[in-house]
């Protein structure tokens, strides 16, 4: 594989600001009562769709550290075919897919929006939507760079 210029460390202040945004959205989600595990599922699903190995590696490990059931992670790509995900998680995953594919969908369909706003408060919806925007941004830094996976023990 061709080694690429790494974008994330290339403009350190911009990347630091992006990390700060992610931390702020995570805090806003927590303040609004969004389960941190749900936000990890959003990050994983967005990274699956974008093919970002670095982010998938990071967020699956983070999710497991925070108690996520590995089975749910293994089946996340087929979430519609299982009963393992809550109504809120399903709404967040659907919103993640639609927002991640905006270049194809050109829209968030009313039914997707209505389902999300049925199960989330305004503040929760905002935190979930912002996290979708952020994971897509991180993926767009990682994929073109072919960011290398960190070494892990074991």
């Amino acid at each position: 594989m061709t080694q690429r210029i790494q974008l994330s460390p290339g403009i350190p202040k911009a990347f630091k600001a992006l990390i700060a945004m992610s931390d702020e959205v995570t805090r806003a989600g927590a303040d609004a009562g969004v389960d941190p595990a749900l936000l990890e599922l959003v990050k994983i699903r967005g990274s699956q769709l974008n093919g970002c190995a670095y982010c998938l590696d990071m967020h699956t490990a983070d999710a497991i550290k925070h108690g996520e059931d590995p089975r749910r992670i293994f089946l996340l790509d087929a979430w519609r075919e299982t009963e393992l995900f809550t109504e809120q998680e399903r709404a967040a995953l659907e919103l993640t897919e639609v927002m991640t594919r905006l270049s194809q969908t050109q829209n968030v369909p009313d039914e997707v929006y209505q389902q999300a706003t049925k199960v989330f408060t305004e503040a929760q919806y905002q935190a979930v939507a912002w996290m979708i925007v952020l994971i897509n941004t991180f993926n767009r830094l990682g994929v073109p760079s072919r960011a290398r996976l960190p070494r892990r023990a074991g």
Side-chain angles (χ1 to χ4, degrees):
M1 194 175 336
T2 304
Q3 189 169 350
R4 302 268 179 106
I5 295 170
Q6 297 301 294
L7 297 174
S8 296
I11 305 176
K13 288 182 182 178
F15 190 66
K16 187 176 179 180
L18 192 57
I19 297 290
M21 285 177 63
S22 180
D23 291 344
E24 182 59 32
V25 169
T26 299
R27 275 191 296 278
D31 291 347
V34 176
D35 185 347
L38 184 144
L39 293 179
E40 287 302 322
L41 292 174
V42 163
K43 294 176 204 176
I44 295 167
R45 187 66 188 127
S47 298
Q48 286 176 331
L49 295 168
N50 289 318
C52 187
Y54 186 89
C55 291
L56 279 167
D57 183 64
M58 177 193 315
H59 296 299
T60 56
D62 288 349
I64 289 169
K65 280 184 207 168
H66 289 91
E68 181 59 74
D69 180 353
R71 182 180 186 206
R72 286 173 21 111
I73 295 171
F74 301 150
L75 293 167
L76 189 56
D77 195 36
W79 64 269
R80 286 180 182 84
E81 307 301 320
T82 77
E83 295 178 4
L84 297 176
F85 299 94
T86 68
E87 188 177 14
Q88 270 195 342
E89 290 167 340
R90 295 169 92 65
L93 293 169
E94 185 75 42
L95 188 62
T96 300
E97 291 182 3
V98 169
M99 287 180 66
T100 298
R101 294 180 174 133
L102 276 178
S103 65
Q104 297 161 353
T105 64
Q106 303 288 308
N107 190 14
V108 173
D110 287 343
E111 58 272 10
V112 173
Y113 175 81
Q114 288 165 356
Q115 180 58 30
T117 57
K118 178 181 139 191
V119 298
F120 292 118
T121 66
E122 184 174 333
Q124 290 171 332
Y125 176 85
Q126 290 169 339
V128 170
W130 266 96
M131 190 56 73
I132 295 165
V133 169
L134 285 166
I135 195 56
N136 276 279
T137 303
F138 282 113
N139 292 163
R140 278 151 179 78
L141 293 169
V143 171
S145 299
R146 294 184 180 157
R148 290 192 195 128
L149 298 179
R151 294 202 180 268
R152 296 203 193 279

